[in-house]
Amino acid sequence: MGRAPCCDKNGLKKGPWTTEEDEKLIDYIQKNGYGNWRTLPKNAGLQRCGKSCRLRWTNYLRPDIKRGRFSFEEEETIIQLHSILGNKWSAIAARLPGRTDNEIKNYWNTHIRKRLLRMGIDPVTHTPRLDLLELSSILSSSLYNPSQMSISRLLGVQSQVNPELLKLANSLLSSQSENPNFLLQNVQENELCSAQFQNQLPPLIQPNQLETLIQETQPMPANVEQFSSNFTDFNSQSCQLNTLQNNGMPTEDFATLPNYSYYASDQSFMDPPPSENSTFQSNNSNNFSFASVLSTPASSPAPLNSNSTYINGSSTEDERESYCSSMLKFEIPDIFYVNEFM
DNA sequence: AATTTCCCCAACCGCGAAGTT
DNA sequence: TAACTTCGCGGTTGGGGAAAT
């Protein structure tokens, strides 16, 4: 069937709204409410199409809109929800009172997405980028089997890996041949790091919680199952690259892993978390927690009530990135200069 | 100081779903 | 049930300010 135009565009104004227009729209809606967006602009005396009025109201003029920077709490929630819901901005917005889908979408695209990319996380799947993982795997194995190295392996994966990364790997291997301890030290650090990490994951989501979420998010996005299974690899492999990034520096920040919900944090379902100085214990370190996502049902948006430890809202972008780095623990080594590949 | 480039975000567009006639 | 209308969503654009050169 044909699609009807949203309005007669002849003579209708487009572009930024003026204060006068805003006042007219607010005044009309306060007196009459909103409902029929098609007739609203005419009744309100606006030379705009209904769609434009609706957008202006829902994204900007609505009295319950919260403006200003996103808090860490909100950012954490967005990342969690996006990992499950994908680009369902309206669904995500329903769990963030006062934020609009447009605002969240913009924030994702301009801040969070870029940050995840810098950290080597695929912002679509929320898993480590496969090409980087493959590179990491090749470099690690080459240290223990130098005779089998490794150009052949690089060539073997060339169809899957960014060609520029192959070049990078090649140059790193050259460095390794000149200084045999260069990467080996990092791998040994990595093993230590892994051992620490395995012992420090917080409590896991209970099966019934996961079931609730799955029911709530039907139909399940295609990437959810993949995400859950991939997260197993993520836990172990992310540690690996992180150690390379530290380039021999201690990895003590694992001991103070922030109470981030990728590892289960929200208190709606959880017992009070261990203090930052205590050691997390887990029977199974490979599971992902959806707990905090479940804290506010879509049908009844309510303020989030996470007890996560946050830096105050005035912190800088760098601080946020540093915080996120600790959360996700998957930074690309500086020595890789990977920004150009992102 | 002038120009260029980058970045952010409000607003627009097209589409599909749901509702109505 | 087909035709039409309305609504809402997600992707994209472009104006303007900030930062870099």
Side-chain angles (χ1 to χ4, degrees), chain A residues 239-256:
Chain A
C239 197
Q240 194 168 2
L241 279 182
N242 180 66
T243 307
L244 284 170
Q245 188 264 339
N246 287 330
N247 197 19
M249 296 296 289
T251 55
E252 71 278 1
D253 54 351
F254 275 102
T256 56

Side-chain angles (χ1 to χ4, degrees), chain A residues 92-150:
Chain A
I92 294 171
R95 294 167 186 275
L96 284 167
R99 299 294 187 182
T100 69
D101 55 352
N102 203 42
E103 194 178 12
I104 292 168
K105 177 174 58 182
N106 282 335
Y107 189 70
W108 175 269
N109 287 327
T110 57
H111 293 87
I112 301 177
R113 185 176 173 277
K114 288 177 185 174
R115 187 175 307 142
L116 292 179
L117 283 171
R118 278 199 296 271
M119 293 159 61
I121 305 287
D122 185 328
V124 177
T125 63
H126 290 248
T127 59
R129 285 181 52 177
L130 294 178
D131 49 356
L132 297 181
L133 284 180
E134 181 63 30
L135 176 64
S136 167
S137 166
I138 291 170
L139 291 173
S140 299
S141 66
S142 72
L143 300 178
Y144 295 106
N145 302 289
S147 62
Q148 296 175 9
M149 193 56 222
S150 192

Side-chain angles (χ1 to χ4, degrees), chain A residues 69-192:
Chain A
R69 287 180 68 104
F70 281 75
S71 66
F72 275 108
E73 188 175 18
E74 289 173 313
E75 192 169 307
E76 174 194 341
T77 304
I78 292 169
I79 296 172
Q80 293 162 15
L81 290 170
H82 187 274
S83 71
I84 295 165
L85 300 169
N87 293 359
K88 302 290 182 191
W89 306 117
S90 59
I92 294 171
R95 294 167 186 275
L96 284 167
R99 299 294 187 182
T100 69
D101 55 352
N102 203 42
E103 194 178 12
I104 292 168
K105 177 174 58 182
N106 282 335
Y107 189 70
W108 175 269
N109 287 327
T110 57
H111 293 87
I112 301 177
R113 185 176 173 277
K114 288 177 185 174
R115 187 175 307 142
L116 292 179
L117 283 171
R118 278 199 296 271
M119 293 159 61
I121 305 287
D122 185 328
V124 177
T125 63
H126 290 248
T127 59
R129 285 181 52 177
L130 294 178
D131 49 356
L132 297 181
L133 284 180
E134 181 63 30
L135 176 64
S136 167
S137 166
I138 291 170
L139 291 173
S140 299
S141 66
S142 72
L143 300 178
Y144 295 106
N145 302 289
S147 62
Q148 296 175 9
M149 193 56 222
S150 192
I151 298 303
S152 59
R153 278 201 67 194
L154 289 175
L155 292 175
V157 297
Q158 64 183 352
S159 62
Q160 306 158 34
V161 178
N162 182 331
E164 295 301 317
L165 283 175
L166 289 177
K167 283 193 239 169
L168 178 65
N170 207 1
S171 67
L172 282 171
L173 288 167
S174 300
S175 301
Q176 167 68 4
S177 65
E178 290 165 13
N179 175 12
N181 292 326
F182 172 66
L183 290 175
L184 186 57
Q185 286 170 348
N186 286 313
V187 170
Q188 287 166 344
E189 286 283 343
N190 169 49
E191 287 170 349
L192 185 61

Side-chain angles (χ1 to χ4, degrees), chain A residues 230-243:
Chain A
N230 284 355
F231 206 74
T232 299
D233 297 334
F234 173 75
N235 278 345
S236 56
Q237 302 213 39
S238 63
C239 197
Q240 194 168 2
L241 279 182
N242 180 66
T243 307

